[in-house]
Amino acid sequence: MVDTEHVSFTAGAQRLTATKVYPSGRAPLHTLHLHGLGPTASRHAIRYLLDPLAEQGHAAVTFDFSGNGDSTGTYLDGSLRRRLDEALVAARLLDPGEAPVLIGSSMGAHLAACAVPALRPRGLIFFAPAAYAADATDVSFHGYLANAPGAENPVRPGDFADSPAYLGIGEFTGDLLIVAGGRDEVVPPTVVEGYLVHARRARSTSVIWLDDCAHFIHRWLPDRHELRDDVLKAMSRVLTAVPAKS
């Protein structure tokens, strides 16, 4: 059985909506999910993984960034910096006393890596991780057209040497799990390698390649039961690992 609690919190001028996913009887909240970029992205896409993990005893928080889902604000007014600020506020929903595990999907992986110096997570779990250049940090999402060939796209993922995500993950000392699509048409595979190269201080790194999957893993994986179970087992290993000594 899984218990859920829907809450809201203020970040800047916006009211953001979150869902806490608990095992029956509750448990400490030490895991935070950050969803990806796009006007239809929401906190709900990850529930097919968070719910069975809760049944194993792992509680988590997932929330909608401003302009997405049930949160207030306008999507196109967002920026990577604003979303990082919102992620750091959302982390206050977690229980203190233990370093968190951050789960990031696409853009959410970039933000989770950027948050490493502030949150000092013991685990990172990335799905189709994106990385963005430093000069994209303060660019608003106005004019961002993900599916328009040749469109002006200042907030585009790629293997950028100056990415703040690479800088952040360079300070990470815990366990890193990456789940990547072998047919990802949005994020080049060199980004996965970039994260691994820059996570040089990580205690452990592992990658699950889903060979036939494109970028949107959370649309593709739920009905692939065997592969989904493999991912759940790998996530559980990160969640149950004893934190590394600082």
Side-chain angles (χ1 to χ4, degrees):
M1 295 291 293
V2 171
D3 293 333
T4 58
E5 178 185 4
H6 303 292
V7 299
S8 61
F9 61 97
T10 300
Q14 305 303 331
R15 196 74 179 165
L16 308 188
T17 302
T19 299
K20 299 178 179 180
V21 184
Y22 293 102
S24 181
R26 302 297 175 96
L29 285 164
H30 297 307
T31 301
L32 176 66
H33 171 251
L34 310 177
H35 70 64
L37 185 65
T40 62
S42 84
R43 69 190 192 277
H44 300 297
I46 194 73
R47 287 288 302 276
Y48 77 102
L49 295 172
L50 296 188
D51 285 20
L53 288 170
E55 292 175 351
Q56 298 176 23
H58 306 296
V61 178
T62 179
F63 76 99
D64 292 328
F65 286 103
S66 60
N68 281 93
D70 297 316
S71 294
T72 63
T74 302
Y75 168 73
L76 291 177
D77 289 339
S79 68
L80 293 171
R81 186 178 301 280
R82 177 178 293 181
R83 294 202 160 192
L84 177 58
D85 290 343
E86 292 172 354
L88 295 177
V89 175
R92 298 174 190 167
L93 297 174
L94 301 177
D95 294 328
E98 184 176 310
V101 173
L102 303 179
I103 302 173
S105 301
S106 191
M107 174 206 67
H110 172 92
L111 299 175
C114 290
V116 165
L119 299 181
R120 298 295 175 186
R122 61 184 176 85
L124 293 173
I125 300 173
F126 292 167
F127 290 88
Y132 300 89
D135 62 6
T137 300
D138 293 302
V139 177
S140 76
F141 298 153
H142 280 284
Y144 174 72
L145 301 174
N147 297 314
E152 186 70 21
N153 186 358
V155 187
R156 66 191 188 282
D159 185 18
F160 299 105
D162 68 345
S163 176
Y166 290 167
L167 181 64
I169 206 168
E171 298 188 24
F172 179 61
T173 58
D175 300 300
L176 171 63
L177 168 65
I178 298 177
V179 183
R183 297 185 178 181
D184 194 324
E185 74 287 9
V186 175
V187 178
T190 52
V191 174
V192 172
E193 183 62 27
Y195 274 112
L196 294 173
V197 167
H198 287 85
R200 59 182 64 90
R201 297 179 60 197
R203 178 170 67 173
S204 70
T205 61
S206 59
V207 181
I208 296 176
W209 284 101
L210 305 174
D211 293 337
D212 295 326
C213 182
H215 182 67
F216 296 100
I217 291 175
H218 299 315
R219 299 177 188 174
W220 183 90
L221 185 58
D223 295 328
R224 273 76 176 184
H225 300 294
E226 185 174 347
L227 290 173
R228 183 196 62 194
D229 289 346
D230 289 342
V231 170
L232 281 167
K233 290 176 184 176
M235 294 177 73
S236 182
R237 286 194 291 271
V238 174
L239 291 166
T240 56
V242 176
K245 294 182 179 180
S246 58

